[in-house]
Amino acid sequence: MVWGVLRGKVGLVHCKNVKIISKDQVIDFSDVHFTTKMLLEQITLPFKKLTYIYSSVLSNVSDKVQDWRSLTDALGYSHLSLDDLSHTLPEKESDRVSCVVKKLKEDCHVDSKKRKFHYELVMGLLKIDCQGLVARLTQDTVILTAAVQLGIRWRELAEKLARLTKQQIEAYEIPHQGKSGEVNLQMMWKPAFDFLYTWAAHYGDSYRDVLQDLHCALDKMKYPVTRQWRELTGTLIFVNCLEVFRATSFSKPED
């Protein structure tokens, strides 16, 4: 698949729908303006609805971001000092970054109808060129969201992705069984997450392949969740646009 822009919206185009035309058939797009800012706002929209574990996000961002001040600027907190962010002055850079993330979380919680923490954080990280970190967060988020969405249907997905046997599926569920010897339906996301995390680990750093193969497998299920769950398709668009965003945002002018 390839991605494209139509009427200010970013979307995926299946290769079967791509047609090579002659030069005289090309439409004039000289009046169309699609800025890097518009691209960023469009491709990060799925993060408004994806499920995440706050403690994991906080830990990853605190460990990987090297400059707390650049993060404050990217998140719109350039007017704040360390005194504004923390009662105690943290000495470690990771602790300072943590204070910034916590500030964003608090502000988004207060105005939860208009602001979404995960969405604003990812946009901020991309503005300071933390693409590797964002890729890691994206994969973890998609795996968790898929596990929560699937619930007990993770068994069907496991058969399609890894051809797991009944015994192998049971092995994932045993650690999460209650006193009754069964996994509570509300807790079924846990074995689903364990499986997907293990499955994705075999891909190494190829996060695009993880999302692509997961999307294809979900599409092949008896009742595909991708029909209602558009956020997964949105993350496919997101990861396929990252290189273009980075090239247009951080490219160095030629001498």
Side-chain angles (χ1 to χ4, degrees), residues 54-55 57-69 71-72 82 85-86 88-103 133:
Y54 172 66
S55 59
V57 172
L58 177 63
S59 176
N60 276 307
V61 175
S62 299
D63 288 343
K64 299 299 182 182
V65 175
Q66 303 298 318
D67 183 5
W68 74 275
R69 176 50 72 183
L71 183 60
T72 58
L82 273 178
L85 296 170
S86 176
T88 59
L89 292 179
E91 296 183 1
K92 292 182 179 180
E93 194 68 19
S94 59
D95 293 334
R96 294 173 180 176
V97 172
S98 179
C99 289
V100 179
V101 177
K102 290 177 180 177
K103 171 64 175 173
L133 171 58

Side-chain angles (χ1 to χ4, degrees), residues 180-249:
S180 64
E182 300 289 335
V183 180
N184 188 297
L185 288 179
Q186 293 181 338
M187 295 291 106
M188 194 60 78
W189 69 269
K190 292 186 176 181
F193 178 80
D194 291 345
F195 161 70
L196 286 171
Y197 192 88
T198 303
W199 166 77
H202 292 94
Y203 285 77
D205 296 329
S206 303
Y207 62 93
R208 288 187 184 87
D209 292 336
V210 170
L211 300 186
Q212 181 70 56
D213 290 352
L214 177 59
H215 194 285
C216 289
L218 289 169
D219 270 345
K220 293 177 182 177
M221 292 180 67
K222 189 173 182 181
Y223 299 103
V225 296
T226 46
R227 292 179 182 176
Q228 293 79 32
W229 184 34
R230 298 170 61 188
E231 285 72 35
L232 179 57
T233 305
T235 58
L236 272 183
I237 298 171
F238 174 75
V239 297
N240 280 287
C241 291
L242 283 181
E243 288 185 4
V244 172
F245 172 78
R246 190 169 190 265
T248 54
S249 301

Side-chain angles (χ1 to χ4, degrees), residues 1-71:
M1 290 187 177
V2 296
W3 67 275
V5 179
L6 179 64
R7 300 186 186 94
K9 301 292 184 180
V10 181
L12 286 178
V13 181
H14 198 286
C15 293
K16 293 180 179 179
N17 296 324
V18 176
K19 180 181 179 181
I20 299 176
I21 59 177
S22 60
K23 288 184 178 180
D24 58 325
Q25 292 178 295
V26 175
I27 301 173
D28 182 14
F29 288 104
S30 58
D31 293 333
V32 177
H33 299 284
F34 194 75
T35 64
T36 303
K37 181 176 181 292
M38 293 169 64
L39 176 63
L40 178 61
E41 292 174 348
Q42 282 282 314
I43 63 177
T44 51
L45 284 175
F47 291 92
K48 289 187 175 184
K49 295 186 177 181
L50 293 173
T51 305
Y52 64 91
I53 298 176
Y54 172 66
S55 59
S56 176
V57 172
L58 177 63
S59 176
N60 276 307
V61 175
S62 299
D63 288 343
K64 299 299 182 182
V65 175
Q66 303 298 318
D67 183 5
W68 74 275
R69 176 50 72 183
S70 64
L71 183 60

Side-chain angles (χ1 to χ4, degrees), residues 135-182:
R136 177 77 262 173
L137 294 176
T138 302
Q139 180 172 307
D140 290 348
T141 300
V142 169
I143 288 175
L144 177 61
T145 308
V148 172
Q149 291 283 337
L150 285 168
I152 196 171
R153 295 186 63 202
W154 83 270
R155 298 168 180 171
E156 179 188 348
L157 180 67
E159 292 175 359
K160 293 185 179 299
L161 277 178
R163 297 181 180 178
L164 293 193
T165 63
K166 183 179 180 181
Q167 290 73 24
Q168 289 173 315
I169 290 175
E170 288 177 350
Y172 276 103
E173 295 186 356
I174 287 174
H176 307 289
Q177 289 176 351
K179 294 180 180 180
S180 64
E182 300 289 335

